[in-house]
């Protein structure tokens, strides 16, 4: 449908038992992520005429759905969350461009024409940025966490080439024993944190 809810096209699928997960849009192409059974995700690349350009099947788990995002000017990136974790980029025709293995799940996935950002919610807790063109890491910063305070990211925003990560600083370590009722009397926030990335190099952050 268009913005006026007029039908543009209809797509018919030959696969049975598809469950829609999410959809991204880029360069007049829809990338629709479907759960296919219990151990596979099917990425359907569909143009505005309703034609299925390409189908990519990826291992997945029903209990841990992947995430699909558009890569402006390039295509799409899919966050695989199965036995292992990775980011997989495709162009607008469904051709695979690159795949980057991750040690853990990526949170707060954000994309711009130049980079892909994500938050690593592990013990080290880091913000990571990779190049949209080739999937190579160019920046990874561990965020200090100790018994006295910790960082809490709450969202992302993208303006053009620039990605913003924002959140607050807790006056205690909410991941450890500091998360107790007596500490809440002091207030839940000690300050704010904003990370801005605008170019795929260390000088651009």
């Amino acid at each position: 449908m268009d913005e006026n809810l007029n039908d543009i096209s209809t797509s018919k699928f030959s696969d049975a038992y598809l469950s829609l997960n999410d959809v991204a849009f880029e360069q007049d192409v829809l990338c629709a992520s479907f759960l296919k059974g219990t151990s596979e995700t099917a990425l359907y690349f569909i143009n505005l005429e309703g034609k299925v350009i390409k189908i990519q099947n990826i291992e997945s788990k029903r209990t841990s759905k992947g995430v699909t995002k558009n890569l402006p000017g390039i295509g799409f990136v899919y966050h695989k969350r199965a036995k292992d974790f990775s980011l997989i980029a495709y162009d607008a025709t469904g051709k695979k461009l690159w795949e980057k293995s991750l040690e853990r799940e990526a949170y707060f996935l954000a994309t711009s024409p130049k980079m892909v950002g994500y938050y690593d919610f592990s013990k080290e807790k880091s913000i990571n940025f990779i190049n949209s063109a080739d999937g190579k890491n160019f920046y990874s910063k561990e965020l200090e966490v100790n018994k006295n305070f910790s960082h809490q990211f709450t969202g992302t925003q993208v303006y053009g080439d620039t990605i913003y990560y924002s959140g607050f600083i807790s006056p205690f370590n909410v991941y450890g024993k500091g998360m107790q009722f007596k500490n809440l009397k002091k207030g839940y926030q000690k300050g704010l944190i904003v990370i801005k990335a605008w170019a795929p190099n260390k000088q651009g952050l």
Side-chain angles (χ1 to χ4, degrees), residues 5 13 20 34 39 49 52 60 72 90 101 116 134 136 138 155 157 161 164 177 179 188 191 193 196:
L5 302 182
F13 304 137
L20 182 63
F34 292 93
S39 61
E49 286 72 46
V52 178
S60 67
Y90 303 91
S101 297
V116 177
D134 56 19
K136 293 182 179 178
F138 67 85
Q157 188 66 55
D161 293 339
Y164 291 88
K177 296 181 180 179
M179 187 58 172
Y188 193 73
I193 179 171
K196 174 184 177 183

Side-chain angles (χ1 to χ4, degrees), residues 76-121:
F76 306 92
V77 62
Y78 176 77
H79 178 25
K80 174 186 172 185
R81 300 188 293 184
K83 294 179 180 178
D84 53 3
F85 304 103
S86 66
L87 295 174
I88 310 172
Y90 303 91
D91 67 12
T93 67
K95 177 184 176 182
K96 184 177 176 180
L97 300 176
W98 50 262
E99 181 171 0
K100 178 176 177 56
S101 297
L102 304 176
E103 292 185 10
R104 288 166 289 270
E105 185 173 349
Y107 291 86
F108 294 110
L109 189 65
T111 61
S112 79
K114 295 182 178 179
M115 68 194 96
V116 177
Y118 63 93
Y119 179 47
D120 186 341
F121 197 72

Side-chain angles (χ1 to χ4, degrees), residues 1-11 25 30 47-50:
M1 294 183 178
D2 61 15
E3 65 273 15
N4 297 315
L5 302 182
N6 297 313
D7 288 346
I8 297 177
S9 61
T10 301
S11 296
F25 183 74
L30 288 172
N47 64 20
L48 293 184
E49 286 72 46

Side-chain angles (χ1 to χ4, degrees), residues 17-36:
Y17 309 113
L18 292 176
S19 176
L20 182 63
N21 182 27
D22 61 3
V23 177
F25 183 74
E26 179 65 28
Q27 299 178 37
D28 292 339
V29 173
L30 288 172
C31 180
S33 167
F34 292 93
L35 292 174
K36 188 177 176 181

Side-chain angles (χ1 to χ4, degrees), residues 115-200:
M115 68 194 96
V116 177
Y118 63 93
Y119 179 47
D120 186 341
F121 197 72
S122 64
K123 183 179 180 180
E124 290 75 24
K125 295 178 178 58
S126 62
I127 284 289
N128 302 271
F129 293 95
I130 62 179
N131 196 312
S132 293
D134 56 19
K136 293 182 179 178
N137 253 78
F138 67 85
Y139 190 83
S140 180
K141 179 177 177 58
E142 291 186 10
L143 302 174
E144 185 178 358
V145 177
N146 59 35
K147 64 181 181 180
N148 297 317
F149 67 89
S150 62
H151 299 88
Q152 297 286 293
F153 283 96
T154 56
T156 65
Q157 188 66 55
V158 179
Y159 294 99
D161 293 339
T162 305
I163 297 176
Y164 291 88
Y165 278 84
S166 61
F168 59 89
I169 302 171
S170 295
F172 49 84
N173 184 355
V174 299
Y175 307 106
K177 296 181 180 179
M179 187 58 172
Q180 298 175 0
F181 180 76
K182 63 180 181 180
N183 290 327
L184 294 177
K185 294 187 298 182
K186 304 174 184 177
Y188 193 73
Q189 299 178 4
K190 187 176 183 180
L192 302 177
I193 179 171
V194 176
I195 293 179
K196 174 184 177 183
W198 65 90

